[in-house]
Amino acid sequence: MRFAIEVIVLLVVLGLIWRYLGSYLTAVFMGRVHFLDWIELPLLGLLGIQPGAEQSWRRYLRSLLVFSFVSLVLTYLLLALQGHLPLNPEHLGDVTPSLAFNTAVSFVTNTDWQNYAGGTTMSYLSQMVALATQNFVSAAVGLAVAIAVIRGFARKRSNTLGNFWIDTIRGVFYVLLPVSIVMTLVFVWQGAPQTLLGPAHIHDVLNGVHQTILRGPVASQEVIKQLGTNGGGFFNANSAHPFENPTGFTNFLEIVLLLCVPVALTYTFGKMVGNIKEGVAVLMAMIILFAGTFAFTLAAEKGGNPAVRAAGITSIRGNMVGKESRFGVDNSVLFNVASTQTSTGSVNSSADSYTPIGGLGMLAGMMYGEVSPGGIGSGMYTILIFAILTVFIAGLMVGRTPEYVRKKIQKTEIIWASIGVLVMPITVLVLTAITVALPDGRAAILNHGPHGFSEILYAFTSQGNNNGSAFAGISSNTGYFNITGAIAMLIGRFGVIIPVLALAGSLAAKEEVPVTAGTFLTATPMFTGLLVGVILLIGALNFFPAVALGPIAEAVSHGRFF
Amino acid sequence: MATSVRTKGVAGSKPLFDRDILSAAIRSSFVKLDPRVQVRNPVMFVVYLGTVVTLVASIIHTSLFSWMVTIVLAFTVLFANFAEAMAEGRGKAQADTLRRTRTETEARRLGPDDIEEVVPANQLKTGDLVVCEANDVIPSDGEIVDGVASVDESAITGESAPVIREAGGDRSSVTGGTMVLSDRIVIKITATPGNSFLDRMISLVEGANRKKTPNEVALSILLIALTVIFVPVVVSLEYFAHFSHTGIAIVTLVALLVCLIPTTIGALLSAIGIAGMDRMVQKNVLAMSGRAVEAAGDVSTLLLDKTGTITFGNRMASRFVGVGGTSNEEMARVARLASMADETPEGRSIVVLAKNEYGIRDNEVGTDYEFVPFSATTRMSGVNINDTQIRKGATEAVKRWVVDQGGEVPSEVDDLTKEIANAGSTPLVVAQNKRVLGVVELKDVVKPGIKERFAQLRKMGIRTVMITGDNPLTAAAIASEAGVDDYLAEATPERKLELIKEEQEGGKLVAMTGDGTNDAPALAQADVGVAMNSGTVAAKEAGNMVDLDSSPTKLIEIVEVGKQLLITRGALTTFSIANDLAKYFAIIPALFIAAYPQLKVLNIMHLHSPITAILSAVIFNALIIIVLIPLALRGVKFRPAAAGEIIRRNVFIYGVGGVILPFVGIKLIDILLTVTRLY
């Protein structure tokens, strides 16, 4: 009952955020808000950019790639040299090159896959300057791409998609920073530490033990971790750690934070293309996918461990292995499903300890391509690719050249949309296949049989979708996993951004098609249904064999391989 | 000389599975096994390569199963070839008929000083002048520069009634291969050898230079993507299986790959395109490009000529009104008398109306009847019976005639004629001696059923615009009666062109028909420009379709064929992709049941064994191609309706049906394989 109320409150809060944040995002990216000109204009001046300057899709993409490359190099250097840099009260050494590379790629691509234990590997400087900065800017990059793609639909006969630098700066200063500053205070109030004093050393006289309690600028990291759908925790235990996620209230806030921008973007999309209902249709598809996956996972976890059940032991609280008793099954599942479906990857319970079918629920959210609602920006632009494929296949059945939001979908769009959809599954499947085939890969797995297979599949699915959620169970801080993981993350990020910007460029240049009674209307439940069907079908077709050998085989074997 | 007279146009009416076409198609299915042909269809090329792989595997590790798979895969390729060959075969049959009409003719070329010399037709160059007389076959396309002739065009149009062709005006073009029936004409050749209308028509119906249309190209790319993705899915599966301590035979992997890639639509795609062009030909429309056929489906504005399309073109009597004490019946009787000898459609319609309205039907014509024919100077016609003179004609003319005889015209007449003119009709005043008896209303009669047709079009999201030379008042009246969305009155070619450009400005696609040379710019500007075959060479060059029947209502049918083509493609694509779900449920448990026996829960169809499961899936995959060939050739049935309605129906049939049908089909094949104890 309490949980039902929580879900209702969550829906109401998200509904309000959808409406008002969506509206605010529209105003920010249409350049109608100016209260931060005093920050924006000097920054643009520094970069040598005229306010209001526009870029073609190629220029937009080039700026994005240059920016990401520079970010990658800087982050790598900061990590690799952290032992020689200040703000390192624990005197942690340099991060090894392969780990530094993997981590730099991970944060630049908004993945936040962590092949390291947060609190004991990264100095404060690394956390704050290298990683937290990327948490902000990589999120802003995703947001910028989504906005550029929406502009592709909204504009007609236009050669430009906006300006990457302006969009990114606006995303950081108008959206991410203000929310982060306010919410950090709330987290501090709730008990999350925010200090540069280094770990606390406690000598427990009574028991005669010496304790070191890790702390640091946690609250500020935590908010952007969720808001930017990053997911990289300050501590290894991520949001299960009481310093990261002190109370039930912060747990609720964290869920809201990670869903808010991806959800609000559907409003922005509808607003910018001139019909809110177009955004609603997409939002509804996201909600159906999310709700279905959540219900599926929850049912599995409520049912408890099949092996335990088979032994005749019933558990009224469901599968509590690897879950915080303060959150219980309900809130653990809600958090983890929300986090895997937003490409955040933060967890408040151990994914590896979920039941096989529960694990499949989390895996599924990523396998559809992170669209429900997906990562910040990336969810929006990815679901638009699926929308294009949906109208192309189903829209033909009304007897007209398919159109989406008044734009004809033709050869160029299909080329880029196909690439955008193919890149992720190919990357995931090929890397998983190579890994299970190589002794290096197999050696890293702790478990054998289908569970071990699931661990590898999960690792590459998570990285290929820039999620960063970890099933754990594999020792992935090895040269092999650091490099292959980085490849998966780079392809998963830029392998989609490049075609999607090309797609947007082609759409922006097009003439609008007038809507008539002969048009396949996309602001309808019919379209939502078809979109969900196409996303599920493409996901299922790509991953069904792999999933059959992993979680499904494990589940039907009733824990024989646990 | 074989100008066979057919009644149903170029296409004739071949049954879908004509015996000759069938046997030619079967032969052609094998010829198309040439890898150079196969590589053009990437989806089927993958099946082709897969067949080679399973063949090699079968030879190395021979087993009944691997041979069965190889044979089924080979048939999958053959079925795809057969589908394409069937579509092409129908076109070829038509082309052969046309080719028979293109006999080696000799032309009488007119040299300088009007000296005739006989040369073979294929040596004619553009600009040459040739002479044709009765029973001469016109050697090549051209324009009449001198003379009038009746021409038998049945070779091209299938219409056996001769048509009149004359120098100057919009009926000056003649087509090579047609025959002059009477008189003598001098023709200026306009086509280069081998590039005449007939040549182009043959290559069109044959599909010899068929280019993929834009939407077809886009769809092919999607199909390639859906093929490419399944290669890593299947290849990675080999490693996944190995990790799970089980192996998958190469034959099985190939079978899985073939089942998953969109072979159904891949096999039928080109047949659908060819059949679409073919359906146009059957409607006696020659589309110069597939692009135009597709554009027809996208059209959102139709420009329709009033005369012939919306109205019959002839004004017809619709009402008798008596004035100055004359009853309407009396008025009808007199008007009828005046029209008894009038053979114009208007005159005949007066006689018909008098009979229908008042039952006046006595046919006897007295010996003292003296008919006065219509002349351009008097603008009246009528009859004199002894002293009684009856006249009917244009208002002003009759009024003057009455006044000249000392009669008076009541003001009632002016009011009445004005009222009739305002309603878009034409008043015809009838007078007897010095007295005006009344007025006949001649109406531009709108074709029955046309209003419903426009309502259907509106439902489909297509706007109709009536084009007419009438004044705005008349145009408005007819437009509202016919139910068109808009009209262009006092239309000139320039205003027509402007209108098209305006519509296109908003992203709309415009279709129109035209026949005159002055229509050429508008025809070229329109997205779908249908030139009448009876029209001028310039019009035919400018448009992207030619209507051999020269029927103004053809535009509506053209739009439907275009839509049907796209719908068929979409429906079969949806069906093809939806099929995959069932195939997974057949094959995946079969593959892994050795490694994880518990995975049998996924075998929801309860297929007999892994081997029958895989065989059933590939057999279903092959047979469904054959089953769908008639649908691909005929096209999905198109009923005009709003987009929402069409999509609901098609998603239900081809989407939901596409998910369910293979479950049933695969199960049935599995039962058959089990019952026959093949396995």
Side-chain angles (χ1 to χ4, degrees), chain A residues 80-146:
Chain A
L81 301 174
Q82 73 169 14
H84 310 316
L85 295 169
L87 272 178
N88 187 3
E90 291 158 85
H91 306 293
L92 298 164
D94 293 346
V95 180
T96 61
S98 85
L99 179 60
F101 174 63
N102 182 282
T103 308
V105 168
S106 172
F107 279 75
V108 169
T109 57
N110 197 248
T111 311
D112 287 28
W113 173 269
Q114 292 166 297
N115 268 344
Y116 59 88
T120 54
T121 315
M122 297 297 168
S123 71
Y124 288 175
L125 185 83
S126 296
Q127 296 264 24
M128 290 168 67
V129 178
L131 305 185
T133 303
Q134 285 310 314
N135 279 352
F136 277 98
V137 297
S138 71
V141 167
L143 192 53
V145 174

Side-chain angles (χ1 to χ4, degrees), chain A residues 392 409-411 414, chain B residues 213-223:
Chain A
F392 186 77
I409 305 304
Q410 289 162 311
K411 183 179 147 196
I414 289 301
Chain B
T213 58
N215 172 265
E216 196 177 352
V217 170
L219 184 54
S220 306
I221 290 166
L222 182 70
L223 296 182

